[in-house]
Amino acid sequence: MFKFWLLCTLAVASRADIAEEDDVLVLKKSNFDEALLAHPNLLVEFYAPWCGHCKALAPEYAKAAGLLKAEGSEIRLGKVDATEESELAQEYGVRGYPTIKFFKGGEKESPKEYSAGRQADDIVNWLKKRTGPAVATLTEVTAAESLIADNEVAVIGFFKDAESADAKALEKAAEAMDDVPFAMTSSDEIYSKFEVSKDGVILFKKFDEGRNTFDGELTKEKLLAFVKANQLPLVIEFTEQTAPKIFGGDIKSHILMFLPKAASDFQDKMDHFKKAAEGFKGQILFIFIDSDIDDNQRILEFFGLKKEDCPAIRLITLEDEMTKYKPESSDITAASIIEFCTLFVEGKLKAHLMSQDIPEDWDKTPVKVLVGKNFEEVAFNPTKNVFVEFYAPWCGHCKQLAPIWEQLGEKYKDSSDIIVAKMDSTANEIEEVKVHSFPTLKFFPAGEGREVIDYNGERTLEGFTKFLESGGKDGGAPAGDDDIDTDDLEDVDDSDGEDGGDDDDGHDEL
């Protein structure tokens, strides 16, 4: 029976004439099952041709495919145009682009979600971790040199006794990390080559100081913390490729320097920024954002900045809620940045809430215009029932809602106790209201201390009317804090048919 199954598999594999582009298999519904049989370890990207994130990933994805193919690895990479193969994309729950899944052992069911970075090394390392031992054994100097040369970051445990408790701790840490290769050696030649005089763990990297030596009691938890604190540069540039590392890491406090690379004093300011970063390793991630790049303009807008406002420094926490901080000084020196970060670490900073000035005609139109400076006075007026749309100017769903919202405002413009309002949440922030997606619709009922209500009904004039006439009961629910996915800061949807931030739930994520 086994021989029969093997012959059938080989027969299928032999006739699986699957086209390739840059070493990446071009998959369709018609050849997908054959590809899984022919290639038991298969990473598949579901993409859209117009998706900007997919275009940015393409060269790194192809490079990873070529590296594995050149090694003679059984691991292959494939891609599916989800706009053409919609049935296949639907089968695997594809809701945004790119979606990347790993199929192991030819199994169609429950593929593993790809969870590492978007550079070739990240992809290769993740796949090797999924298909081989978590820790490679190094016996030759050339193998150790290749491991270090081929990776941005690599961790090597130097242990004369591969069965020691410290060696076991290294293995457990390696099993918990997908994006960094781990190895172990007991070779005297390798010890000598890297000037290692005693057992221990060294992290080798192609940036900053070049290597870090673990110090202290070696446990899985402490080793993971050591690797995570040292695997990124002191200052990391925000790009399509680095975004997964930035948002997917354990360090959730990020200080951002917005600065054009073309600036004459770019290197001077970068040196100051890097100098300040040295004292906050493992506490705050230092990130540089080129303010001249068009793709970064949404991030500037998120912080209430424009190109002409740069250079600028901002700090944000990505814990349960996103909180922004702005330094009092506009100086970008190591001393001023260190002072700012120290106050943050000590909990002595107040959150920075953006607000536009109050428009002179804010209450002259059927839909009242709210900003940070007049929000509390209007929305929490105990004599009024206030229905607010929190929107973003670029949000497609908000644009679709706009004419209906205007109709609603017109309907209640003469009401003595109902106010229909809107607020641009990209330029105004309220401490009491956390907006995670657009549009967000919240009802602030009259009365002292009344609970805010989220609107979850149909976005029609009839639906809104029923909601207001019922006092917020028909179509509403008590306001709660939605979970926020920090990846949404990277995968922003332009709502004009691009990229994967829009998951068709009627909201555009922040």
Side-chain angles (χ1 to χ4, degrees):
M1 184 68 181
F2 173 76
K3 288 183 179 179
F4 174 75
W5 179 87
L6 181 61
L7 288 170
C8 289
T9 300
L10 292 172
V12 169
S14 66
R15 68 172 183 266
D17 187 15
I18 301 172
E20 294 186 20
E21 292 179 0
D22 297 325
D23 298 319
V24 177
L25 301 171
V26 180
L27 305 177
K28 306 174 183 292
K29 184 171 178 59
S30 59
N31 65 14
F32 200 78
D33 289 350
E34 293 179 3
L36 292 179
L37 282 174
H39 307 289
N41 292 311
L42 182 62
L43 187 70
V44 179
E45 175 203 7
F46 294 85
Y47 73 97
W50 41 256
C51 165
H53 299 303
C54 303
K55 292 175 184 177
L57 172 63
E60 293 295 321
Y61 197 73
K63 181 180 176 182
L67 288 171
L68 291 167
K69 193 174 181 181
E71 291 177 3
S73 172
E74 292 185 354
I75 306 169
R76 293 301 306 272
L77 273 63
K79 62 181 180 180
V80 174
D81 182 343
T83 65
E84 292 288 337
E85 302 295 328
S86 56
E87 187 178 342
L88 191 59
Q90 186 175 4
E91 181 180 348
Y92 289 104
V94 176
R95 299 177 65 193
Y97 308 117
T99 292
I100 308 174
K101 295 178 180 285
F102 180 52
F103 296 81
K104 188 172 183 179
E107 291 290 333
K108 287 185 63 176
E109 305 299 326
S110 303
K112 177 75 176 177
E113 292 286 342
Y114 176 75
S115 58
R118 293 183 182 175
Q119 293 178 299
D121 286 347
D122 300 322
I123 297 169
V124 170
N125 289 333
W126 190 90
L127 288 168
K128 287 184 175 180
K129 280 283 187 74
R130 293 291 170 186
T131 56
V135 179
T137 300
L138 303 175
T139 58
E140 303 290 337
V141 169
T142 53
E145 290 175 329
S146 295
L147 178 72
I148 295 168
D150 293 343
N151 295 279
E152 280 289 303
V153 177
V155 176
I156 300 179
F158 294 81
F159 301 115
K160 292 299 184 182
D161 180 4
E163 299 300 319
S164 66
D166 285 354
K168 295 300 181 184
L170 178 80
E171 290 179 353
K172 290 178 180 177
E175 290 167 358
M177 290 199 78
D178 290 326
D179 55 345
V180 175
F182 281 68
M184 191 186 307
T185 186
S186 59
S187 164
D188 290 337
E189 289 79 9
I190 298 177
Y191 270 70
S192 176
K193 173 65 181 178
F194 294 102
E195 300 178 345
V196 176
S197 59
K198 62 180 181 178
D199 284 7
V201 177
I202 298 177
L203 181 146
F204 295 88
K205 56 190 182 184
K206 293 182 178 178
F207 48 84
D208 296 339
E209 61 270 58
R211 62 192 273 178
N212 303 102
T213 301
F214 179 85
D215 186 29
E217 180 189 3
L218 210 163
T219 65
K220 170 189 170 182
E221 292 73 23
K222 290 181 179 180
L223 184 53
L224 285 174
F226 163 77
V227 175
K228 289 173 181 177
N230 291 287
Q231 72 176 118
L232 294 177
L234 282 172
V235 175
I236 183 170
E237 181 177 358
F238 179 87
T239 66
E240 290 275 1
Q241 288 71 37
T242 61
K245 293 181 179 180
I246 290 171
F247 293 120
D250 287 352
I251 303 173
K252 299 302 182 184
S253 298
H254 298 170
I255 186 169
L256 315 173
M257 179 172 69
F258 298 90
L259 174 70
K261 272 188 178 178
S264 59
D265 58 349
F266 171 79
Q267 193 55 55
D268 179 62
K269 283 186 166 53
M270 185 62 76
D271 290 343
H272 279 277
F273 197 55
K274 189 172 183 179
K275 178 67 176 175
E278 294 174 359
F280 298 95
K281 186 185 290 188
Q283 292 179 291
I284 302 174
L285 199 58
F286 279 62
I287 302 165
F288 154 68
I289 297 178
D290 188 344
S291 55
D292 273 349
I293 294 179
D294 289 341
D295 286 347
N296 290 338
Q297 297 314 301
R298 183 72 58 75
I299 304 173
L300 268 73
E301 180 182 297
F302 180 71
F303 286 91
L305 294 169
K306 297 178 181 178
K307 281 186 179 182
E308 52 267 31
D309 298 324
C310 301
I313 295 286
R314 293 293 186 272
L315 195 150
I316 185 170
T317 59
L318 301 176
E319 300 290 352
D320 294 336
E321 294 293 348
M322 289 190 296
T323 306
K324 304 171 190 173
Y325 301 89
K326 175 184 176 182
E328 291 185 4
S329 170
S330 60
D331 293 341
I332 298 182
T333 63
S336 63
I337 297 169
I338 290 170
E339 180 182 7
F340 178 53
C341 291
T342 300
L343 289 172
F344 167 75
V345 171
E346 294 175 350
K348 296 179 180 178
L349 288 182
K350 285 188 176 181
H352 171 61
L353 300 174
M354 299 185 297
S355 177
Q356 296 171 307
D357 290 331
I358 302 173
E360 291 184 4
D361 59 347
W362 73 271
D363 61 346
K364 301 298 189 293
T365 56
V367 176
K368 312 308 176 188
V369 179
L370 302 184
V371 296
K373 294 178 180 179
N374 70 349
F375 184 89
E376 186 171 348
E377 178 185 353
V378 177
F380 293 104
N381 184 336
T383 67
K384 304 292 184 182
N385 294 289
V386 186
F387 198 13
V388 183
E389 176 203 6
F390 299 88
Y391 73 95
W394 44 259
C395 164
H397 296 300
C398 301
K399 292 173 184 176
Q400 292 171 8
L401 176 61
I404 302 172
W405 202 250
E406 291 296 331
Q407 292 173 28
L408 185 68
E410 187 70 31
K411 182 166 185 168
Y412 289 98
K413 68 178 181 179
D414 296 323
S415 172
S416 62
D417 64 343
I418 292 178
I419 294 176
V420 178
K422 64 180 180 180
M423 188 176 84
D424 179 354
S425 286
T426 67
N428 299 279
E429 296 171 316
I430 309 299
E431 189 171 358
E432 298 87 350
V433 179
K434 302 299 182 183
V435 178
H436 297 157
S437 62
F438 302 121
T440 289
L441 307 176
K442 289 182 180 286
F443 181 59
F444 300 79
E448 296 287 354
R450 295 283 299 278
E451 189 172 25
V452 179
I453 297 171
D454 282 329
Y455 179 77
N456 297 317
E458 294 182 358
R459 292 179 192 166
T460 62
L461 182 60
E462 181 182 4
F464 293 143
T465 301
K466 286 182 179 179
F467 176 71
L468 288 174
E469 296 298 333
S470 69
K473 295 178 182 178
D474 190 344
D481 291 333
D482 299 328
D483 290 335
I484 187 161
D485 181 356
T486 52
D487 284 342
D488 291 329
L489 282 175
E490 168 209 352
D491 294 325
V492 176
D493 175 30
D494 292 329
S495 302
D496 55 4
E498 292 211 11
D499 299 345
D502 180 6
D503 58 7
D504 294 328
D505 64 354
H507 290 83
D508 287 336
E509 302 297 332
L510 272 175

